[in-house]
Amino acid sequence: MIISRPKKLDDCLQILGSDPVFLIGCSDCATICHTGGESEILEMKKLLEARNLHVTGLVILDPACHLQNNKRLLKSFEQQVARAKKIFVLACGNGVQTVAELFEDKDIVAGSDSLFIGEIKRLTEFEKRCMACGDCLVDSYGGLCPISRCAKSMLNGPCGGSRGGRCEINPDIACVWEQIYRFLMKKGRMDIFHRIQPPKDWSKSLEMQRSIHCGNTK
Ligand code: SF4
Ligand code: SF4
């Protein structure tokens, strides 16, 4: 899931100015993160109207990053969108850009910051788990990812700075290398732990590629 958090309202208000605005949320990740689900969109409508902004309408896309679904769903909102000068999107950066493709003549305002691909720990607690590196290596690390979860992305860790099982960079998070050690020990796979990993082949990362078709392999 893409984890996001709301931008500061004052910053958004500054960009929105006094123009009429159409509000867009997302039924998926932004709903689970409480950044752009139905209740956040309705709350935002109230906040904007309390500041005398004209909200021409609102919709929760299903999800905001689905271009074809958006085209279909937004057909019923054409008039409300037409009355707006700005489109305020409470979704991840991916969703915002999908919406932007549909409204070239409108100012698009992002209401959230996308943080990472992560795990839902509790209702409002999320942890980074993946950086979409394009060549998953977790089977070499007891099912855990040192690229996204070690502050130094060490493939041959640990770095030696961990104290009491916590990361030296941020003691709020567990040292993933300590966890990798424990997991592999439990599985009786210390042979994997002692293997030297070669430098990662970043050419497999799709970071700089524009798109793929579902079903593509490396
Ligand atoms: S190795 Fe790469 S694809 Fe696998 S979890 Fe880590 S960042 Fe994600
Ligand atoms: S303490 Fe652990 S998680 Fe933190 S940087 Fe060092 S090896 Fe990585």
Side-chain angles (χ1 to χ4, degrees):
M1 193 176 83
I2 296 176
I3 310 299
S4 59
R5 72 177 163 210
K7 282 182 178 293
K8 283 188 187 140
L9 181 63
D10 284 348
D11 294 348
C12 296
L13 288 171
Q14 219 171 353
I15 300 170
L16 288 170
S18 53
D19 296 315
V21 57
F22 184 79
L23 270 172
I24 289 182
C26 171
S27 65
D28 211 324
C29 303
T31 291
I32 296 171
C33 289
H34 309 285
T35 48
E38 192 178 351
S39 51
E40 292 78 32
I41 289 288
L42 292 174
E43 180 63 25
M44 182 58 77
K45 179 176 185 287
K46 256 196 248 163
L47 287 170
L48 297 180
E49 287 175 343
R51 287 162 174 81
N52 296 321
L53 262 81
H54 176 38
V55 177
T56 65
L58 57 89
V59 64
I60 314 293
L61 296 175
D62 189 24
C65 56
H66 196 314
L67 186 64
Q68 298 310 322
N69 271 3
N70 292 357
K71 282 181 183 168
R72 268 195 300 273
L73 198 54
L74 284 161
K75 272 203 171 81
S76 343
F77 295 87
E78 275 172 3
Q79 288 183 1
Q80 297 177 19
V81 170
R83 287 198 293 273
K85 173 142 177 38
K86 293 193 170 136
I87 310 282
F88 191 20
V89 190
L90 307 192
C92 73
N94 189 9
V96 176
Q97 292 180 68
T98 308
V99 169
E101 278 183 51
L102 295 170
F103 300 115
E104 289 180 18
D105 58 334
K106 305 283 179 195
D107 294 344
I108 307 293
V109 181
S112 312
D113 291 318
S114 303
L115 302 174
F116 48 74
I117 299 173
E119 172 184 286
I120 308 162
K121 302 286 292 180
R122 292 185 194 84
L123 197 56
T124 56
E125 190 185 334
F126 308 97
E127 268 190 25
K128 188 177 184 181
R129 289 291 179 264
C130 176
M131 289 162 72
C133 74
D135 183 23
C136 195
L137 301 174
V138 295
D139 50 355
S140 299
Y141 300 99
L144 305 176
C145 172
I147 296 171
S148 60
R149 298 176 64 176
C150 166
K152 298 170 191 170
S153 293
M154 295 196 69
L155 292 182
N156 292 290
C159 71
S162 169
R163 293 287 172 272
R166 314 307 294 175
C167 174
E168 73 164 348
I169 304 297
N170 179 1
D172 286 343
I173 61 167
C175 168
V176 75
W177 270 101
E178 209 251 9
Q179 292 176 305
I180 291 169
Y181 178 85
R182 275 196 294 108
F183 275 39
L184 289 174
M185 177 75 99
K186 212 169 180 178
K187 294 178 209 294
R189 294 305 313 271
M190 290 310 280
D191 56 312
I192 299 181
F193 188 82
H194 291 296
R195 256 185 233 157
I196 301 294
Q197 279 291 333
K200 185 165 165 53
D201 178 4
W202 283 99
S203 71
K204 291 179 178 166
S205 162
L206 297 187
E207 188 64 28
M208 298 310 290
Q209 290 188 29
R210 202 175 148 268
S211 66
I212 59 159
H213 294 286
C214 195
N216 266 10
T217 53
K218 293 169 197 171

